[in-house]
Amino acid sequence: MSLYLKYRPADFKNLVWQSFVKDTLQKAVSDNKTVWAYLLCWPRWTGKTSTARIIAKAINCENPQNWNPCLQCSICRDFADERLMDIIEIDAASNTWVDNIREIIERAQFQPSKTKYKIYIIDEVHMLSKWAFNALLKILEEPPSHVKFILATTETHKVPETIISRCQRYDFKRISNTDVKERLEYIANAEWIKIDEKSIEYIIKNSAGWLRNAISLFEQLIFDSELSYENIVKKLEIVDEDIISTFLEKLINKDAKVIDIFDKSIDDGKNIKLFFKELIYFTKAKTLNEIRLSNDVTKYIEILDTLDETYSKTKNSLDENTTFLIGILKILNSYNTKKVIETVQVNNIQTSTIPTNNTKENIVEEIAISPDDLSDIFWWDDDEVVNNSTSKENNSSENNWNKSNFDLATFRQKLKDNWAKWWLVLALPAAKIELYWTTLSIWTTTKIQKWQFENIDNQNIILKSLADMWIQNVNIKLN
């Protein structure tokens, strides 16, 4: 049996962290004031299903100890052996239809065979269909006196208010790191496993606060009744913390030698995904520490944001190593992005923002990454664009659209409706554009303009905006 199942809480005494929930429920059991329906809500792996089972046993236990299930009577033993017919657990994800609930309603009319109450535990109740909820609502309104319901869900917002209002609701809390640590130490002592402090910290950090994750990782890393950080490093091919610290320092200083460290880690067979995970945690800790010291954390936040975004992209990445390398390159070139943002003042845009002469403000030659990446940080503010560029447009619209009855203002509004990004808007007025029959000809003068009009997504937005103006079957021709 796995350690998680072996040490799953079987009574209120072993329920970790949820003190308010267990104190309130124990008092209700002791005073014989339990209600007919409970709703246990919120985070996963916080003990909702375990609590539901404890409630069911405590209500029906033949010999409760301080209003805890005794775990020794025939009802407690039969429940543990899954032989008790009066406490029924249902997974709503696989019993989502109205017929499943109708079957519950029919069986609920019969008296329990052995216990005082027949109890239905419905896990992930939010997965029920609309019609199933409607069927369940009827019995929750007028339940038989011998029936109680315990509903559990991780997505309370998906449960109808009519169901919630008929239940006594308990919101569970995420388990604290201190309680996770105490539970791991308890299991280690009970299993005669030697474990060091650094190993516990590593497990807690990588379990993201979920006790089930922590126990599973704890069990996975045990070797010969011992769990040491040194063995964890060898087993998981974790990069040493000193290397991670050096790596972060070189990222902050925009030192290209950071790529050498990255390549060496791959050559040494290190787990790159774990390496970046540790790097994110290390950067987070470093950032918080710098904040406490009242130091500037701008660079740390930029790096942390890019690392987090890169890590999330690896879920659908063809090659994780390449994805991580791209993230590193973005960080190394982030100062160019900053120059662009400083040059292009979003709140004071002029149509001549994109220069064509070789001045220090010529951002075209300075850009080191695709403008598509930069466009995500800008959002459309049509009032600013129209108000600040009206005079320029009035002067240029005749030249740019001289072969059509094209309404530039309407086109700009259609682009806005289709969520066009800032760089497309920025490139539009400075380019020469002609619409002649079914051909939209575009002449560009800078690289950044060319990039924007070559972008397939931008072309699709342009064509959709034209189609919204009843100008269809248009071909875009770049000159």
Side-chain angles (χ1 to χ4, degrees):
M1 180 186 294
S2 69
L3 291 180
Y4 172 73
L5 292 177
K6 184 176 181 179
Y7 290 95
R8 190 171 190 172
D11 56 19
F12 288 117
K13 183 173 58 179
N14 288 302
L15 187 61
V16 179
W17 183 241
Q18 312 297 342
S19 55
F20 168 75
V21 174
K22 62 184 180 183
D23 291 345
T24 306
L25 291 174
Q26 270 190 288
K27 186 71 167 61
V29 173
S30 65
D31 296 343
N32 196 25
K33 292 183 178 179
T34 55
V35 298
W36 65 92
Y38 293 95
L39 178 62
L40 312 182
C41 305
W42 284 86
R44 54 185 179 145
W45 303 338
T46 50
K48 295 186 298 300
T49 307
S50 297
T51 302
R53 293 175 175 178
I54 294 169
I55 297 170
K57 288 187 291 184
I59 291 173
N60 289 310
C61 182
E62 296 174 339
N63 185 30
Q65 305 294 319
N66 294 323
W67 306 110
N68 251 332
C70 69
L71 308 180
Q72 300 298 325
C73 67
S74 60
I75 289 177
C76 289
R77 290 199 307 269
D78 285 350
F79 181 79
D81 296 337
E82 299 181 355
R83 290 186 285 114
L84 190 63
M85 298 177 58
D86 297 329
I87 300 178
I88 305 100
E89 291 190 51
I90 299 167
D91 178 19
S94 54
N95 295 275
T96 187
W97 304 113
V98 64
D99 290 341
N100 303 120
I101 301 302
R102 284 173 179 164
E103 185 179 350
I104 291 174
I105 295 173
E106 290 175 6
R107 295 184 178 183
Q109 308 306 317
F110 298 99
Q111 291 287 333
S113 59
K114 187 175 181 178
T115 61
K116 183 179 179 181
Y117 293 101
K118 180 177 285 188
I119 298 178
Y120 288 92
I121 300 173
I122 305 180
D123 201 9
E124 301 299 337
V125 70
H126 63 272
M127 299 291 286
L128 292 179
S129 67
K130 175 183 176 181
W131 298 273
F133 272 125
N134 290 337
L136 180 63
L137 180 62
K138 180 62 178 176
I139 194 169
L140 287 181
E141 286 178 334
E142 300 175 3
S145 59
H146 59 272
V147 174
K148 293 184 184 296
F149 288 89
I150 306 175
L151 315 179
T153 178
T154 54
E155 300 186 49
T156 316
H157 61 282
K158 292 184 179 180
V159 181
E161 287 293 333
T162 50
I163 297 291
I164 296 176
S165 64
R166 286 160 177 80
C167 300
Q168 193 172 93
R169 172 175 172 172
Y170 290 88
D171 289 322
F172 282 59
K173 296 184 293 183
R174 189 168 180 166
I175 302 174
S176 71
N177 289 343
T178 302
D179 283 276
V180 174
K181 180 181 178 181
E182 290 178 358
R183 191 63 177 174
L184 291 177
E185 290 175 342
Y186 169 80
I187 295 173
N189 291 332
E191 295 291 323
W192 297 91
I193 296 169
K194 184 179 179 182
I195 183 171
D196 58 32
E197 191 73 19
K198 203 167 183 180
S199 297
I200 293 178
E201 291 176 0
Y202 176 82
I203 291 171
I204 292 174
K205 181 172 62 176
N206 285 273
S207 63
W210 309 123
L211 183 57
R212 183 186 298 181
N213 280 0
I215 297 175
S216 298
L217 185 57
F218 170 82
E219 185 173 15
Q220 175 188 344
L221 296 173
I222 295 172
F223 180 75
D224 197 19
S225 297
E226 184 179 358
L227 205 163
S228 66
Y229 187 72
E230 183 180 347
N231 286 335
I232 292 176
V233 171
K234 291 179 181 178
K235 197 169 186 178
L236 299 181
E237 294 292 344
I238 299 173
V239 177
D240 188 81
E241 189 171 290
D242 292 337
I243 297 177
I244 292 176
S245 178
T246 304
F247 194 92
L248 176 59
E249 184 179 347
K250 290 187 180 300
L251 281 180
I252 292 171
N253 296 325
K254 304 293 189 295
D255 188 345
K257 290 182 179 179
V258 72
I259 299 176
D260 296 335
I261 301 177
F262 178 75
D263 290 339
K264 189 177 186 305
S265 299
I266 295 175
D267 294 339
D268 291 344
K270 300 297 183 182
N271 188 322
I272 295 300
K273 196 158 189 175
L274 274 179
F275 169 71
F276 264 76
K277 194 174 183 180
E278 288 295 307
L279 180 60
I280 290 171
Y281 287 136
F282 186 86
T283 308
K284 173 187 171 183
K286 188 75 173 175
T287 304
L288 294 175
N289 186 57
E290 292 296 317
I291 290 174
R292 294 186 188 101
L293 297 173
S294 300
N295 294 332
D296 181 28
V297 294
T298 304
K299 292 182 180 179
Y300 290 100
I301 293 174
E302 289 177 359
I303 291 173
L304 192 60
D305 184 48
T306 305
L307 290 176
D308 184 64
E309 180 186 358
T310 303
Y311 189 89
S312 64
K313 285 182 179 179
T314 59
K315 293 180 181 178
N316 301 312
S317 175
L318 181 64
D319 179 12
E320 290 180 353
N321 292 349
T322 302
T323 304
F324 284 130
L325 178 60
I326 292 171
I328 294 172
L329 294 175
K330 282 186 177 182
I331 293 172
L332 293 179
N333 287 277
S334 61
Y335 63 88
N336 286 326
T337 302
K338 187 175 181 181
K339 286 183 181 179
V340 173
I341 297 172
E342 290 173 348
T343 304
V344 184
Q345 296 295 327
V346 178
N347 293 324
N348 189 26
I349 291 180
Q350 304 295 328
T351 55
S352 59
T353 301
I354 302 182
T356 57
N357 60 329
N358 294 323
T359 67
K360 65 179 182 179
E361 295 177 342
N362 193 336
I363 63 174
V364 176
E365 299 301 327
E366 294 179 347
I367 292 178
I369 58 175
S370 170
D372 294 333
D373 296 328
L374 298 174
S375 63
D376 291 332
I377 64 175
F378 294 106
W379 291 96
W380 181 283
D381 187 351
D382 188 62
D383 292 337
E384 292 287 343
V385 175
V386 172
N387 292 338
N388 290 315
S389 60
T390 302
S391 59
K392 181 70 176 179
E393 284 179 4
N394 290 339
N395 295 332
S396 63
S397 59
E398 287 297 324
N399 295 329
N400 288 356
W401 307 92
N402 58 2
K403 294 192 178 181
S404 68
N405 294 322
F406 198 87
D407 186 347
L408 180 59
T410 302
F411 180 61
R412 297 180 69 91
Q413 180 60 41
K414 294 300 180 183
L415 285 175
K416 173 186 175 181
D417 295 341
N418 291 316
W419 295 93
K421 293 184 179 180
W422 256 109
W423 279 108
L424 176 58
V425 182
L426 212 57
L428 195 64
K432 181 181 179 182
I433 304 174
E434 291 183 352
L435 178 65
Y436 188 78
W437 293 96
T438 59
T439 300
L440 184 70
S441 298
I442 303 175
W443 287 266
T444 58
T445 57
T446 65
K447 291 181 181 178
I448 196 169
Q449 287 177 327
K450 188 175 181 182
W451 280 334
Q452 290 308 307
F453 291 119
E454 285 179 345
N455 183 280
I456 298 300
D457 292 336
N458 286 345
Q459 289 189 12
N460 290 335
I461 290 175
I462 291 173
L463 293 176
K464 187 175 189 308
S465 301
L466 291 172
D468 292 344
M469 298 171 66
W470 301 99
I471 303 173
Q472 299 176 345
N473 300 322
V474 174
N475 297 316
I476 297 178
K477 181 183 177 182
L478 298 178
N479 299 294

